[in-house]
Amino acid sequence: MNKLRNYQNASNNIKQFYKTNRSKQTLQYIQSMILKYCSSFSTKMHIWKIAEHLNKLVDISDPDLTLPNIIHAFQSAEYAKECGEPDWMIFTCFIHDFGKIIYLFEDHENGISSKEQWGIVGDTFIIGTELPDQLIYPEFNYLNPDKDLRLYEDGCGIDKCFVSFGHDEYLWRVLQNIDHKLPDEALYIIRYHSLYALHKEEQYVDLMNDYDRKMLPYLKRFNKYDLYSKCDKEYNLDNMKKYYINLAKKFGCEYMNVL
Ligand SMILES: [Fe+2]
Ligand SMILES: [Fe+2]
């Protein structure tokens, strides 16, 4: 298997993406995006419709993925299934990136569009505290205006922190608004799966509380399916449809209010 997440040879576009992301994701930006896009979700959409929309989006921050997102959703979920994971984990793998649907707002100025994705994708980081050297392209850390704020107390818990805005936070907020039956572990995975500094680089330890320490192993377990399922395999959408819609029904997620 080729080395994944290799940013050494990544295209200049990816580097430029991270430069913009690091400099524009500020406390004020996150708060305004939550207010603007997460206050009311008024479009009721079938899970399959969300999946079809994702099929039109390719994540520009990902050096390993050139396939549409829906294929990545199947690859992750099918790998989790092969490994004998329970249904909730398989379904979490399937939907973990569905927050990327936010691209439909086509808000270029705020990085929320298929062209400008710096408010949707990429690794996330915590705003209002020192930026770890373990972030991708740490040479851009100095560009973040809020890095010296020291906003948080030790042990406050990751959910008290402002994490850079993107598809993780968006889907987590979508799910707060529907009567789903997913366990807490699934929600934690959805909200923090792009926070590689936390689950891969062991950073932010001082900010964690007991709940984070309980949830972290699930996030690490999930990451295997997110990352190591990437391959050139493609799927017939019609064959997959029935199985995943049934899973969505089981977890009360057949319809979600998005956008
Ligand atoms: Fe993701
Ligand atoms: Fe993913």
Side-chain angles (χ1 to χ4, degrees):
M1 186 177 285
N2 292 330
K3 193 172 178 288
L4 294 166
R5 287 176 60 79
N6 181 357
Y7 291 86
Q8 234 50 33
N9 304 317
S11 77
N12 216 32
N13 288 350
I14 295 182
K15 195 168 183 182
Q16 195 54 46
F17 165 90
Y18 272 103
K19 189 177 181 185
T20 311
N21 175 279
R22 202 72 40 88
S23 51
K24 294 198 172 185
Q25 288 270 358
T26 63
L27 193 58
Q28 204 243 324
Y29 168 78
I30 299 168
Q31 287 172 321
S32 66
M33 289 307 100
I34 290 172
L35 200 64
K36 190 172 180 185
Y37 293 120
C38 307
S39 301
S40 70
F41 298 97
S42 51
T43 310
K44 189 175 176 181
M45 207 180 277
H46 191 264
I47 186 106
W48 203 256
K49 190 84 207 158
I50 300 175
E52 282 174 347
H53 278 303
L54 286 200
N55 215 20
K56 294 171 210 144
L57 183 74
V58 174
D59 184 334
I60 56 175
S61 73
D62 192 335
D64 309 311
L65 194 66
T66 49
L67 293 169
N69 259 278
I70 183 64
I71 305 299
H72 171 55
F74 289 136
Q75 288 179 344
S76 306
E78 291 288 304
Y79 185 28
K81 202 203 296 178
E82 276 168 33
C83 293
E85 287 287 357
D87 280 356
W88 73 261
M89 178 63 98
I90 297 169
F91 186 64
T92 302
C93 287
F94 181 61
I95 64 166
H96 74 279
D97 279 338
F98 278 22
K100 291 178 184 175
I101 186 87
I102 197 176
Y103 86 89
L104 289 177
F105 283 115
E106 287 296 323
D107 179 355
H108 302 302
E109 196 191 333
N110 284 310
I112 295 176
S113 67
S114 44
K115 186 166 161 273
E116 298 286 334
Q117 297 183 18
W118 58 266
I120 306 178
V121 299
D123 287 11
T124 52
F125 59 100
I126 295 177
I127 315 281
T129 188
E130 210 178 319
L131 274 61
D133 288 339
Q134 286 76 3
L135 296 183
I136 298 164
Y137 304 118
E139 62 268 37
F140 298 140
N141 285 358
Y142 80 97
L143 292 168
N144 191 270
D146 295 338
K147 63 186 181 309
D148 301 319
L149 288 183
R150 295 174 188 271
L151 280 186
Y152 315 110
E153 308 238 318
D154 280 0
C156 65
I158 302 297
D159 71 340
K160 295 283 180 302
C161 302
F162 291 95
V163 178
S164 53
F165 189 77
H167 66 283
D168 300 38
E169 182 73 14
Y170 188 70
L171 182 61
W172 182 80
R173 286 183 183 267
V174 163
L175 289 167
Q176 302 305 298
N177 279 276
I178 63 168
D179 193 18
H180 67 75
K181 296 176 182 65
L182 287 166
D184 287 354
E185 290 82 354
L187 295 183
Y188 197 86
I189 288 167
I190 285 163
R191 196 176 194 188
Y192 300 121
H193 71 269
S194 302
L195 196 53
Y196 273 79
L198 176 80
H199 64 74
K200 181 164 177 275
E201 305 293 345
E202 327 244 299
Q203 300 300 297
Y204 304 129
V205 173
D206 292 349
L207 299 174
M208 287 166 64
N209 61 15
D210 286 345
Y211 186 72
D212 297 310
R213 283 184 280 276
K214 192 176 138 204
M215 292 295 155
L216 198 56
Y218 294 98
L219 198 48
K220 287 174 183 279
R221 195 165 110 194
F222 162 83
N223 187 242
K224 181 173 96 170
Y225 308 125
D226 191 10
L227 202 55
Y228 296 107
S229 60
K230 288 171 183 172
C231 60
D232 294 331
K233 199 156 137 190
E234 293 196 41
Y235 296 92
N236 181 315
L237 294 194
D238 290 333
N239 291 347
M240 305 303 253
K241 194 169 179 174
K242 201 170 159 204
Y243 175 79
Y244 285 100
I245 289 177
N246 275 337
L247 269 190
K249 283 180 186 160
K250 177 174 175 175
F251 293 108
C253 295
E254 190 184 5
Y255 289 90
M256 293 194 209
N257 291 318
V258 292
L259 309 175

